[in-house]
Amino acid sequence: RSSAHQDRRRRRRRGRPVQAGKMRRRQERSRLLLLLLGALAVVGAFRAPPAAPLALGAARGAPGARDAVVVAAKTPLTNAATGKRIEVPEGSPLGRACSSLGLKVPYNCKKGECATCSVSVGGKLMRACVGKVPPAPKLKSVAEKGLPVKLAR
C-alpha cells in the first residue's frame, strides 16, 4: 500500500478525522490573512505624518489657524400630517429621523426588501429601514418649509 494510505490509517487510529483538504485550505487562508495583515501594517507605517498642532497664540477661526470642526449639512424635514419640523444631518438613518418626527413606520424585514417601511420624502419613495436622509433642497422656499415626510400607504 502507498505511504499516504498508511498515513491516513495511522491518523484514524489516533482518533483524528481525516480532512486533509480542509486542513490545507484552512492553513492557506491563515497564511493569506497573515500576509494581508503584514501588508496593512507596512502601509500604515508609511502614512503621512499627522498635521502639526496650532501655533501658540493662534486662536480658532483666526487667519492661518486650521479649523478642526467639520459641520455636517442639515436637511429640514417636516411631518406632513402634524407639521412638526426638525433638522437632521444628511446621510443619517431615515428610520431614526422618522421616529424623531413622530411617524410610526411599520417594519417587517428591516433589509429593504419588503417595502413595508416605504416613506415619501419630498415626493420620492424611500425605504426607512435602509434609507439615508437626502441632502437639503436647493430651492429656498422648500428649504424653509422642509421636505414633507409621510407614510406611503
Side-chain angles (χ1 to χ4, degrees), residues 108-118 127 129-130:
N108 199 3
C109 70
K110 294 203 175 188
K111 295 181 208 169
E113 296 173 356
C114 67
T116 306
C117 60
S118 291
R127 310 275 166 88
C129 60
V130 293

Side-chain angles (χ1 to χ4, degrees), residues 35 67 92 108 127:
L35 202 106
D67 291 330
S92 61
N108 199 3
R127 310 275 166 88

Side-chain angles (χ1 to χ4, degrees), residues 19-36:
Q19 296 177 343
K22 278 187 180 178
M23 186 62 79
R24 196 174 306 118
R25 285 191 296 270
R26 193 175 296 151
Q27 287 172 345
E28 288 174 5
R29 264 188 257 138
S30 64
R31 273 192 221 119
L32 283 171
L33 182 65
L34 287 173
L35 202 106
L36 180 66

Side-chain angles (χ1 to χ4, degrees), residues 19-102:
Q19 296 177 343
K22 278 187 180 178
M23 186 62 79
R24 196 174 306 118
R25 285 191 296 270
R26 193 175 296 151
Q27 287 172 345
E28 288 174 5
R29 264 188 257 138
S30 64
R31 273 192 221 119
L32 283 171
L33 182 65
L34 287 173
L35 202 106
L36 180 66
L37 289 174
L40 288 174
V42 169
V43 169
F46 292 107
R47 277 195 185 146
L54 289 174
L56 290 176
R60 285 188 186 263
R66 280 181 243 112
D67 291 330
V69 179
V70 177
V71 178
K74 299 256 185 178
T75 301
L77 298 176
T78 306
N79 186 337
T82 63
K84 182 178 179 181
R85 185 177 185 276
I86 60 169
E87 289 197 3
V88 186
E90 70 177 65
S92 61
L94 187 59
R96 197 174 297 151
C98 289
S99 65
S100 313
L101 277 170

